[in-house]
Amino acid sequence: MKNLVSMKDLSVEQILAILKQAQAFREGAVSTLKNKYTMANLFFEPSTRTKMSFEMAERKLQLEVLPFDAGFSSTLKGETLYDTVKVLESIGLDALVIRHEQNNYFNELVGKVRPAIINGGDGTGNHPTQSLLDIFTIWQEFGGLKDKIVTIVGDIAHSRVARSNADALTRLGAKIHFVCPREWQAEFETTNSFDDVIEVSDVLMMLRVQHERHDGSISFSKEEYHQSYGLTLERESRMKEGSIIMHPAPFNRDVEIANELVECERSRIFKQMENGVYIRMAVIEMILKGRE
Amino acid sequence: MKNLVSMKDLSVEQILAILKQAQAFREGAVSTLKNKYTMANLFFEPSTRTKMSFEMAERKLQLEVLPFDAGFSSTLKGETLYDTVKVLESIGLDALVIRHEQNNYFNELVGKVRPAIINGGDGTGNHPTQSLLDIFTIWQEFGGLKDKIVTIVGDIAHSRVARSNADALTRLGAKIHFVCPREWQAEFETTNSFDDVIEVSDVLMMLRVQHERHDGSISFSKEEYHQSYGLTLERESRMKEGSIIMHPAPFNRDVEIANELVECERSRIFKQMENGVYIRMAVIEMILKGRE
Amino acid sequence: MKNLVSMKDLSVEQILAILKQAQAFREGAVSTLKNKYTMANLFFEPSTRTKMSFEMAERKLQLEVLPFDAGFSSTLKGETLYDTVKVLESIGLDALVIRHEQNNYFNELVGKVRPAIINGGDGTGNHPTQSLLDIFTIWQEFGGLKDKIVTIVGDIAHSRVARSNADALTRLGAKIHFVCPREWQAEFETTNSFDDVIEVSDVLMMLRVQHERHDGSISFSKEEYHQSYGLTLERESRMKEGSIIMHPAPFNRDVEIANELVECERSRIFKQMENGVYIRMAVIEMILKGRE
């Protein structure tokens, strides 16, 4: 593994190797990298959790991390992403985490630049470390993915997570249901009826209503969304024993999930964030080792 | 001490312990923390000196510091402060310095989240490390606070410093006078006449005219303010022997203080900033030790 | 050397000493600084390569680097540069890299503050580390500067690089030609005819068309500029054997240089950026040693 831009790059064996290494880091394993590496995190879109999670993972691996301020960089002078990355290559960076609003931005980079590219999210496309931390959280909970029923609820069309997760979860043996309003259907088969699948799901993965990506095209209010597609207290009461609630966050309380459920017993929302640090440590270490 | 949000949290004994530890750090003592801790500085309002001072203190304590860019975080997507802090808790942060425009923002955090909360300033409320560094500077100068006459001059109503200092200085035995224009009177007893108190004061603590918090409600010009409430050369000439000038900065030269007096012999303005680093080292170390 | 604000500060001997130390760092030498120093990079104008290059150099020297966010600092509250630097002095910083839009901003700092001032670019004035890395790149290529013909092409009037380079290259024995449109002539003797000098030049140094500094006063289109003053494929074909192409970047592809030439065999554009890290290491180390 020389880069990580999409879940499609990863075989089932590689995914399982990442999960095992993440678990080892979670239990206290330390980095076995032999050299001193320098990274930077290029976030061209706002982010708290993904950026901070990478920052933490990099420091736990004892890497040098250079600050990069996208809002104050030469991209303001019209420099292309390729040229910016070439600059960072020249300066000596070994790996770059990039979040960018353009789908598949990495196609102009991978194979053309020396630093490893780790995709921190591209437009509405991929977000592989988020998928991996979701998979890790389910794997920890049930000891595996085989035959687990995962229901993904919400804005399928605009969600990086849904797309990155769909393929990988299936390859690992899980069964996926998608629930979403008619307006947000994607290329997957979806249902509009949340209530049909609640009682059979092992995992309810609630997606964020991304107000900032919509343009007044939504025909329902927050309250209506909550009633039709949100995880209400009533719906939670019908979830099956041992089933869990996930959300990639940031969440809108009382829109996709009832306020009281964010930190309820079934919720793994904050555990997902914990897991993100270990998954990112595993991914970065494997990529840097693959280059040693 | 598990958090520090207000001077009211601190007993006189605790304040004195912080001053002594700050003095030890000033004289070259090094951190005796046993574990490796990670912090972040969440500044939701612009700041140079407080943020840089905390950054320096954290590095002198050999802590890991994760960068947090409030202007580029998920708060832009409407995430609440509580949820942001829960994210940082999940990612593994041990302590957070927070500056936020909302008074008492910390009430929704302390006791509800795992990371230590250190208040770097809340709205017009508290700024405890500023109060402590002010107290430290007076304590160094006079060997104690007892019976020292401290005159605080300026925008009492909008000043975090005045409020944080008022109570603590009194508890430590100092006598406080407040001088301010009628428009800016607060809940304390104040006088409008600066000249009545100049000659008796051991400390003149000049406050910043916070243009950015006012809304055209001020009835005087900069020149008028300087004449009535500023520290002019003439007023400085009437200060008593051994008395000192303080200012929390940033200062407006020739508004609250004459340009020539900023670095004059009586001025402790830059020494206050030096002291801020040691005070913050002491506070952070005590809080992290209180959690070991 | 206690500060570095302009190439005029440096004797020929000092320049050569910096080049030799940069070469040593390039070949793997490590810092021989005895103390622990703390720096900050104050960039009041957007920058990727200069800022990241300094950040990398500082870390390779094992310095502590405090983050400074100019867009979120007290300068927003109207604090002067002098007062900001005095704050950073009080907090304990040993050296500051500053980029500022005001020409000769450093005149209000050097000799008046304790931290070393390293100029990262002032308005349209100086950019000494850029000049040094340009000189270093030519020196590496030809083993010296004597009698080398260096042609600088473009926006001479607005370029820091042209001004910083002009004097130093001449003192080192190089011959300089300037080519620029009539609108952009500066105090140097220039020619409007690029084609007269192409075949004799050892170095073509193309400057950036700084759209963001112009105000509609330019009378030519990008295409016209490229045809008259850009390095086209045709012009490159007439360059003499062993001659090289340089550009301080960020470059406008197909304006000052044909897209295909940016990474061509003659191009040293990305090597300049590599060299920048080593030059900055040499400069910072010499300045900090000069203060030990």
Side-chain angles (χ1 to χ4, degrees), chain C residues 202-226:
Chain C
D202 296 293
V203 178
L204 287 187
M205 198 179 280
M206 312 304 297
L207 300 182
R208 178 177 155 71
V209 178
Q210 304 200 51
H211 305 295
E212 72 276 14
R213 290 191 195 266
H214 301 140
D215 49 1
S217 62
I218 310 178
S219 59
F220 40 77
S221 68
K222 289 181 182 185
E223 291 70 23
E224 285 165 348
Y225 185 87
H226 189 58

Side-chain angles (χ1 to χ4, degrees), chain B residues 42-56:
Chain B
L42 282 58
F43 278 69
F44 294 93
E45 292 190 320
S47 165
T48 301
R49 89 208 62 247
T50 304
K51 181 161 187 300
M52 294 294 274
S53 179
F54 271 112
E55 294 270 357
M56 182 63 107

Side-chain angles (χ1 to χ4, degrees), chain B:
Chain B
M1 188 166 56
K2 302 276 190 188
N3 304 277
L4 177 62
V5 298
S6 164
M7 288 303 286
K8 292 181 213 113
D9 296 352
L10 297 176
S11 66
V12 166
E13 290 67 34
Q14 284 177 310
I15 294 173
L16 293 172
I18 291 169
L19 302 188
K20 279 168 197 160
Q21 185 56 41
Q23 184 63 29
F25 281 133
R26 202 178 159 106
E27 290 166 6
V30 294
S31 164
T32 56
L33 288 168
K34 293 203 190 75
N35 302 323
K36 179 106 188 120
Y37 294 101
T38 306
M39 293 190 60
N41 302 303
L42 282 58
F43 278 69
F44 294 93
E45 292 190 320
S47 165
T48 301
R49 89 208 62 247
T50 304
K51 181 161 187 300
M52 294 294 274
S53 179
F54 271 112
E55 294 270 357
M56 182 63 107
E58 289 151 6
R59 279 164 179 83
K60 281 182 176 250
L61 291 171
Q62 316 260 28
L63 305 175
E64 195 72 71
V65 187
L66 294 196
F68 178 86
D69 181 350
F72 209 64
S73 72
S74 291
T75 49
L76 294 184
K77 301 185 192 169
E79 193 173 66
T80 63
L81 183 60
Y82 173 81
D83 286 337
T84 297
V85 169
K86 285 295 286 184
V87 169
L88 300 178
E89 172 185 313
S90 301
I91 284 168
L93 285 145
D94 299 297
L96 303 173
V97 177
I98 304 181
R99 168 170 290 186
H100 199 281
E101 65 275 15
Q102 188 197 311
N103 282 13
N104 302 315
Y105 70 81
F106 43 77
N107 285 344
E108 53 179 306
L109 301 176
V110 170
K112 292 164 195 157
V113 298
R114 203 171 47 222
I117 305 299
I118 299 171
N119 186 4
D122 63 299
T124 56
N126 304 276
H127 193 1
T129 60
Q130 178 71 42
S131 296
L132 286 165
L133 75 88
D134 290 342
I135 291 167
F136 185 40
T137 304
I138 302 170
W139 182 81
Q140 281 181 324
E141 195 70 32
F142 301 106
L145 281 292
K146 185 125 180 55
D147 295 330
K148 292 299 145 193
I149 298 176
V150 179
T151 298
I152 304 179
V153 186
D155 183 358
I156 311 291
H158 295 88
S159 170
R160 296 180 185 117
V161 179
R163 287 152 189 269
S164 286
N165 278 0
D167 172 60
L169 285 166
T170 306
R171 286 194 284 140
L172 287 158
K175 302 214 160 103
I176 318 293
H177 295 300
F178 291 102
V179 177
C180 73
R182 229 171 293 275
E183 288 90 332
W184 290 343
Q185 280 175 18
E187 65 269 31
F188 319 112
E189 188 185 343
T190 62
T191 170
N192 306 132
S193 173
F194 192 1
D195 292 307
D196 288 355
V197 292
I198 283 187
E199 293 168 30
V200 300
S201 301
D202 295 291
V203 178
L204 286 187
M205 197 178 281
M206 310 307 295
L207 301 182
R208 178 177 155 71
V209 178
Q210 304 201 50
H211 305 295
E212 70 277 13
R213 290 189 194 266
H214 300 141
D215 49 2
S217 62
I218 312 179
S219 59
F220 40 76
S221 69
K222 288 180 182 187
E223 292 69 24
E224 285 166 349
Y225 185 87
H226 189 58
Q227 284 316 312
S228 301
Y229 300 101
L231 187 54
T232 58
L233 293 173
E234 188 278 325
R235 285 195 179 100
E236 191 271 344
S237 73
R238 288 191 281 131
M239 289 178 68
K240 83 182 199 196
E241 202 187 320
S243 65
I244 61 172
I245 300 166
M246 296 173 66
H247 191 302
F251 37 78
N252 299 297
R253 289 171 182 266
D254 288 332
V255 183
E256 59 264 15
I257 181 165
N259 181 41
E260 297 89 333
L261 295 178
V262 169
E263 299 181 55
C264 76
E265 210 183 320
R266 285 190 199 283
S267 169
R268 296 295 176 273
I269 296 179
F270 292 108
K271 190 174 185 192
Q272 287 173 270
M273 297 180 207
E274 279 175 45
N275 281 337
V277 175
Y278 302 109
I279 280 289
R280 286 165 182 130
M281 289 175 75
V283 164
I284 294 168
E285 196 194 51
M286 285 177 79
I287 286 175
L288 290 175
K289 280 197 173 175
R291 288 164 169 254
E292 268 185 342

